[in-house]
Amino acid sequence: MNPMRLFALVIAACAALLAAPLSADPNDIQAASRSVVRVVLVAEEDGETFYVGHGSGFAVAPDKIITNAHLVAPMREDASIRIGIIPSEGTTTYGGKLVALSVRNDLALIEVEKGRLPSLPLLATPLDDGAQVMAIGYPAAVDRAQGLDARETVAPMAPVKTPGVISGGRTTRDFDTILHTAALAKGNSGGPLVDLCGRVAGVNSFGSLSDGNDAEYGFAVSNRELFTFLRSAKVDYRLADTPCRSVAELSAEERERAEQAEQAARARQLAEKAERRDLEENALREAEHAIIAARENHVAFVALMLVLAGMAGGATFVLHERGDLERRKIAAGIGGAFVLAAALGLVLRPGFDGAEDMAIAALKAKGVKPGAATGSADGQYVCRIVPERSRITGTSPQPVEIGWTTTGCVNDRTQYGRDTDGWTRVFVPNEEQAVSINRFDPETREFRTENFQLGLSAMQTARKIRARYSNNACTTNADAMADLEDMQKALRQALPTQPNEILVYSCSAKAPAAK
């Protein structure tokens, strides 16, 4: 390589490192590659099919591919030319149909025939100058270097990823483009330029010409142009409107938040414990004072009964001296009754061993209930996304409604399993190439979703594991819960170490419907 060109590339790479810290994860680019396809043009003449050329494209919807208009330009001159869509993985290829074209801004839309692909989200706002990006596509130079013939290039294979940085926006040939340093070659046309979270910043279109002494630059059609094109073609696309954050960064923030929450919880528990201790001590003192007062009343009653008994005894003696036997018997009975009342008053005076029970009753009367649980009861919840605690790679999620029961049944149809992380459920959809782990904590009323964007092979493995569990309904059966636990453990072991997307929701009780 020419020394001047090498020096320019080194300077560009250093600028990229200094301009923006690495803020994403490699598996995001790998996940984005699932949506990138090779767009092949083939023609037929005299019953023989021959190769016309190829470029790149990417899915903006499960059955819609974006590429460059200049790539499909030969179709305007030769009606026999057909489009082939070659995905990055698997064994199946698809036919394609051109459904929209804009020569002005070099965009074309292809409909995939009898196939579905994972779609890429589009960045809502332009990236800043110096932001790190990746061009993904199928450069023909790499095919030639590998010695691939035309037949071999129409087999599914992983696209090539080349890094670079944003060098600024440009208006070229009456449409907006993004200037960047990611290497482009013939065949990259129509492929996506993505940020380090795998969201599309633009559609690669052409590269600058170099005499071998200068650094090469690439141009991508900006999303502003792409949005207008897709709206005119009535295509629903995914919009990404949040900053690119790494899982490591988010995890570090969550650990710090958890530590602070734990410290706050400990401080709150200590304060509540001290407050309760004060309440209990005050209640016990009040109970003891009440008992003392009651005992004093009993002593006074005993003394009064004894005095009255003494008076009755004196009357008995006087009546005996007078010989009034009938009245003497009455007086003696009354005196005995007073003595008995005094004895009962002495025996029935309250003891201090009942002070604790009196204190507990007083606390309950004041609404202080020992060991009361909070937030764990059955209920209907509305959960809203917490953006600052989430890693959102696509469109900001809508609120989620959860009908929760203490047995782990959600919305009367889905059973969650209890494990070390709380109540969780692993979801393996039939159509999408993603596995999700949902977690709900009824104590904190927090709902969390981790999305893993997987390749075809990994998805097939996940679906085979899921197939071992047949009962999808809510259950409290011990055997069914054990099967669910085993399935979820096996699925977790088959997943990557970290997700592509982390969504954290805060839940509140759902307001009752108006009558």
Side-chain angles (χ1 to χ4, degrees), residues 23-30 196-197 245-248 391 498-499:
S23 59
D25 302 286
N27 62 343
D28 288 329
I29 303 301
Q30 187 62 35
L196 294 187
C197 281
R245 306 179 64 193
S246 70
V247 173
R391 184 177 195 255
Q498 64 185 31

Side-chain angles (χ1 to χ4, degrees), residues 305-348:
M305 292 300 102
L306 291 176
V307 169
L308 293 176
M311 294 174 63
T316 302
F317 179 77
V318 171
L319 292 171
H320 177 72
E321 290 293 325
R322 293 180 180 179
D324 192 342
L325 296 179
E326 189 65 30
R327 291 185 176 183
R328 182 180 67 81
K329 290 179 181 180
I330 293 174
I334 293 174
F338 285 139
V339 171
L340 180 60
L344 288 173
L346 189 62
V347 171
L348 296 177

